[in-house]
Amino acid sequence: MIQEQQWLLSLGTFLPLAGVLVMLFIPKKDEAMAKGVALLTAVATLGVGIYTLVKFDYGQSQKLQFFTTNKWISPIKATYTIGLDGISLPLYILSMVITVLVMVYSWNHVPNPGNAKAFFILMLVLQVGMAGTFVAQDLILFFVFFELVLLPMYFMIGVWGGENRQYASLKFFLYTMFGSALMLVAFIAMFIVTKNHATNPDAANFSFQWFHANAPGIARNTAIWIFGGMFVGFAVKVPMFPFHTWLPDAHTQAPTQGSVILAAILLKLGTYGFVRIALPFLPQAAKTWAPIIAVLAVIGIIYGALGCLAQTDMKRLIAFSSVAHMGFVMLGISTLTPLGINAALFGMVAHGLITGMLFFVAGSVKERYHTLEIKRLSGMLKQVPHLGWILGFCAMASLGLPGLAGFWGEFPALLASWSPATILTDSAMGNHELLYRVLTVISAFGTVLAAGYLLWLYQRTAFGEPSEEFAAHGHDDHGHSDIHDVNVFEWIAWTPLLIGIVVLGVVPSLMFKVMDPAVQQLTSVFGK
Amino acid sequence: MIAFSAPIVDYHALAPELVLAAGICLVLLVDLFVPAHRRWITGTISGLVLLGALLPVVTLAVLGGDVRDVLSGDGISGRYVVDNFALVLKALFLLSGYVVVLLSTNEIEDGGYYQGEYYVLLLSSVLGMVMMASSRDLVSVFVALEFLSIPAYMMAAWKKRDRKSNEAGVKYYLLGVFASAVMLYGMSLLYGIAGSTKLSVIGEKITLSGPRTGIEVIAVVFVIVGFSFKVSAVPFHTWAPDTYEGAPTPVTAFLSVASKAAGFVGLMIMVYLAFPLARDVYRPFLWVLAALTMTVGNLVALKQKNLVRMLAYSSVSQGGFILMALAMAFTNGSEESSLRAIIVYLIIYAATNLGAFAVVIAVARRTKSAEISSYGGLFNYAPGLTVMMTLFLASLAGIPPLGGWYAKFGAFRAAVDAGGGWGYTIAIVGAANAVVATAYYITVMREMWMKPVPEGADTSAVKVPASLVAALTITGLATLAFGVVPGIIAKVGSLTDLTGAFHG
């Protein structure tokens, strides 16, 4: 690991809190001031993030950089250890970008019942939790950051959400809480079991390093149980079938900003947990769980796609498509190969950009038409051409069109699952090659379904003539229009995402090059 | 015939108790000679007395060193001691008492209650708790327990003309006395077995080897049952919700935090010193109590419409987590992590729960109600109180980065540390309960943040009196600090070696 500029990650993670502190002293009525301070803080945080990007040593991206470790809760051996490698760098930066963009979008889009100050404070707190989760290199620290996002998101959905917000927010909260309670027990169990069989139990601590060195030695049966606890915790967050039922409700009811953050970053906390914690620490159990994860992932792909076809609400459709896309990510992870995990990590970022963008569009459609019912919308290309084209672009990206970012998450994942890691095809332990090949075929069919539901959505909403009920709202002779095209705040918030989708689609090696050394090192625990 | 020789008293070690006793007399006298409209001064004096009693605790801690026998002499040493365990808990009781005084100031003054007497009883009860922390003998444990309980019975019935308050007092009194009787019976059997009231002697007599006699089983079970009433463990919790609801709210805060903690301290002293080797008896018993307490407390709390009643059941269920750690003590060498987990839990729970009650009191000054529905839309007109309440509830639910998560973490760790079927099963039961618990804490948050203000409610800004602001500041900072830097509290927890324990 590289221990230079040790302050950098702490600054990047906790800077938003400084903004929160300042905002506490701004009177509630002074909304512009509150928004300004929040945006300034987020931009400053992103500035720190960009500095991190510049200073990152890409030649050694498998190593933890800006690494620092300090005492934190000595009696239970939890440490304040943070670091950044090629796996976490893209997600860490993504969280900062998304927060800034969401804040720009919120500038004149604070959802009912208003109160911009509280809304922006919650976004800053969320940012701390998200960035912290990606830099944490200690299990307890990870847990604290992982949980830190829970309450702000609960309030964001519950206070600023749609009609059914209270039900949706409660469901979101209880599901996640259930997962994290089991996850915590699993973490503690892993620590104690590791400590008991280690040769130097006095050195035991909660840092990732310790588990890297010692956890793979846990007896296989015990490890399978511990993995199970973590599996529930992470799978709820991803969410994987059958733990996904909170997601459509949460997404549909959340305000646009909440949906974007949820889709772009929060779901990734779960998949990141699998890649960073469950797989490398418990490879002996991962071998047993991988086929199960693969099957559930593929069920998620197909189920999500079929769910999409049945939706009548645009936002709910996008939410179900998230279930399908995260299925591809989990399929990639379940192959235990470098290719699969690279694909999964790429898929995480791509899904963050694309689905985040789709939710932005859905929010803007809702704001203009006051409905997201697909059958009431039509002719967007005529009435709001820019918005219509952007929707089309995102739909293409989402269905995995080559040349756009979505492709590089799905295609390599399918490729990887055709030939999973050798430990999964090792006949001594049960050969799963056939299973994975069948799953590959089924999930390839899932991409066809994805094209189906996205194109169908696009066709119904964007093509044709504007429907009668909205036609009169368009550009009339007096220049009034309540259904207007993309405005300047939206352009500012969306352009970086659209550029990102194209750039990552055309030059995927930008990210693969950063991630691959770290992924190679991670998968080395599974042998060749 | 043995000649009586007077024990040697270590006055420094006894100072906290002496300050409190002097303070009680002082408050009584002041109350007698001060005109009615200036009786509020008794509250101020009580607060100062509690802080004054904290001074010797601090000096004793700073001087550190070995265990101090408060009373030493022939056959009397080791029965009433000051060790780190005692100091930490004394500090906890005194500080909790101080916060309760802050909570009481306006409530008792505005209610036109008997202020002087109220504070005298409060101080007496705290004195009993302070004594409990030092007791290492059946007699002193029992005396301390009665000392802390009897004033509390009266305080529960303090709203003299309120039928619910009378009910609260009577129920608490009758069940409390019954529990004392059961416990005393168990203690008499313990004395019969060991021939001594000194706990460490009893601990040596009740061994793991040899067949367990029926008398030993009854003695251990009866003592635990007696304390189970005090800590309102299911199925001995039935008095708690009615008492908590009927008593004046500051008294409820006191009962659910300080009095309950004292009960746990007593139970811990008994388990760790008097029968550590009888784990074949107390482990299954406490295990079942813990599982029942967590589960039943939670399930009933889910249905509550009144916030104080809900907090009552929540405190029952929180007690279950402490029992979980205690049940798994002395299993595979987990006694140290259990002891630390319990102490840390008690401290964090005290800060959080007192804070929650402070908000309840502040809000009730406006709404005159503790119904959860009366909290509708609180965020709109009292954002500060809403945020504070959210922090306290989130801490009770165990959500990082607030204190409660570390308390729960410790309890889970103690259970998993003990390991085996018993340990893992109770940890899973606890994890499931932690989730159920969030459901009702979140109901209150939802009411405050998301529901509309009830019709006809006054929505001008809520004025919070200075003493409540002080209480909220203390408890709020503690709740936050314990969660973000649990190191400070964990350090305290790791100092608490209960003298004489860990040798079994």
Side-chain angles (χ1 to χ4, degrees), chain A residues 68-75 77-81 138, chain B residues 484-485 487 491:
Chain A
T68 176
T69 180
N70 257 309
K71 279 187 186 163
W72 181 37
I73 321 176
S74 316
K77 319 273 189 195
T79 58
Y80 177 78
T81 308
D138 177 284
Chain B
V484 178
V485 244
K491 200 143 225 160

Side-chain angles (χ1 to χ4, degrees), chain A residues 475-480:
Chain A
H475 306 279
D476 60 11
D477 301 337
H478 309 290
H480 295 301

Side-chain angles (χ1 to χ4, degrees), chain B residues 354-417:
Chain B
L354 284 174
F357 275 108
V359 178
V360 171
I361 292 170
V363 173
R365 286 169 59 82
R366 158 63 62 79
T367 60
K368 308 282 175 248
S369 160
E371 294 300 311
I372 295 178
S373 56
S374 71
Y375 282 71
L378 189 70
F379 180 60
N380 297 322
Y381 60 94
L385 285 175
T386 307
V387 170
M388 292 302 280
M389 191 62 161
T390 307
L391 292 184
F392 294 130
L393 291 172
S395 174
L396 285 174
I399 300 169
L402 297 154
W405 83 268
Y406 187 66
K408 290 233 162 63
F409 177 90
F412 281 134
R413 196 183 152 179
V416 177
D417 216 357

Side-chain angles (χ1 to χ4, degrees), chain B residues 89-113:
Chain B
L89 289 165
K90 280 177 198 222
L92 170 67
F93 292 136
L94 291 169
L95 282 174
S96 308
Y98 179 67
V99 174
V100 172
V101 169
L102 291 177
L103 298 186
S104 309
T105 317
N106 296 84
E107 188 85 353
I108 300 295
E109 195 183 350
D110 298 348
Y113 305 121

Side-chain angles (χ1 to χ4, degrees), chain A residues 317-394:
Chain A
L317 188 152
I318 302 170
F320 267 102
S321 83
S322 268
V323 176
H325 283 123
M326 293 312 274
F328 279 102
V329 172
M330 288 312 298
L331 180 66
I333 291 176
S334 75
T335 64
L336 307 183
T337 57
L339 179 62
I341 292 175
N342 267 319
L345 290 170
F346 199 99
M348 282 152 74
V349 174
H351 174 261
L353 297 175
I354 298 167
T355 310
M357 200 47 233
L358 278 170
F359 276 117
F360 267 137
V361 172
S364 290
V365 169
K366 169 97 182 179
E367 188 208 16
R368 289 165 173 79
Y369 292 90
H370 304 288
T371 180
L372 281 167
E373 239 181 285
I374 298 172
K375 65 174 181 229
R376 285 176 63 192
L377 299 165
S378 69
M380 274 169 59
L381 276 174
K382 282 209 167 153
Q383 200 166 17
V384 279
H386 291 145
L387 192 62
W389 279 114
I390 291 175
L391 175 63
F393 176 81
C394 296

Side-chain angles (χ1 to χ4, degrees), chain B residues 229-424:
Chain B
F229 275 101
K230 288 290 161 205
V231 302
S232 54
V234 177
F236 310 108
H237 68 292
T238 44
W239 59 273
D242 291 328
T243 303
Y244 285 4
E245 191 188 352
T249 320
V251 176
T252 307
F254 183 66
L255 292 181
S256 74
V257 171
S259 172
K260 188 174 185 124
F264 273 115
V265 171
L267 187 53
M268 255 156 80
I269 293 175
M270 295 303 292
V271 168
Y272 272 84
L273 294 178
F275 36 81
L277 296 178
R279 65 165 168 267
D280 51 326
V281 181
Y282 71 75
R283 190 173 64 189
F285 191 58
L286 284 177
W287 195 97
V288 172
L289 275 185
L292 276 178
T293 306
M294 286 191 256
T295 314
V296 175
N298 268 337
L299 293 181
V300 186
L302 278 174
K303 296 195 304 189
Q304 299 309 314
K305 301 264 180 285
N306 181 297
L307 185 54
V308 174
R309 257 186 110 79
M310 192 209 88
L311 284 173
Y313 280 107
S314 112
S315 95
V316 168
S317 135
Q318 300 273 351
F321 284 92
I322 304 182
L323 284 173
M324 167 168 94
L326 190 60
M328 299 320 292
F330 293 102
T331 307
N332 300 331
S334 64
E335 53 269 26
E336 279 193 63
S337 63
S338 284
L339 181 72
R340 276 155 208 181
I342 297 170
I343 306 267
V344 166
Y345 207 111
L346 288 175
I347 296 174
I348 293 176
Y349 170 75
T352 307
N353 221 37
L354 284 174
F357 275 108
V359 178
V360 171
I361 292 170
V363 173
R365 286 169 59 82
R366 158 63 62 79
T367 60
K368 308 282 175 248
S369 160
E371 294 300 311
I372 295 178
S373 56
S374 71
Y375 282 71
L378 189 70
F379 180 60
N380 297 322
Y381 60 94
L385 285 175
T386 307
V387 170
M388 292 302 280
M389 191 62 161
T390 307
L391 292 184
F392 294 130
L393 291 172
S395 174
L396 285 174
I399 300 169
L402 297 154
W405 83 268
Y406 187 66
K408 290 233 162 63
F409 177 90
F412 281 134
R413 196 183 152 179
V416 177
D417 216 357
W422 291 99
Y424 285 116

Side-chain angles (χ1 to χ4, degrees), chain A residues 169-179, chain B residues 435-436 438-439 442:
Chain A
S169 58
L170 185 64
K171 201 168 170 185
F172 161 75
F173 193 91
L174 290 183
Y175 263 77
T176 320
M177 199 65 200
F178 170 71
Chain B
V435 182
V436 176
T438 51
I442 210 118

Side-chain angles (χ1 to χ4, degrees), chain A residues 242-259:
Chain A
F243 303 108
H244 67 283
T245 58
W246 62 269
L247 182 91
D249 288 308
H251 264 315
T252 317
Q253 298 304 325
T256 304
Q257 293 86 339
S259 292

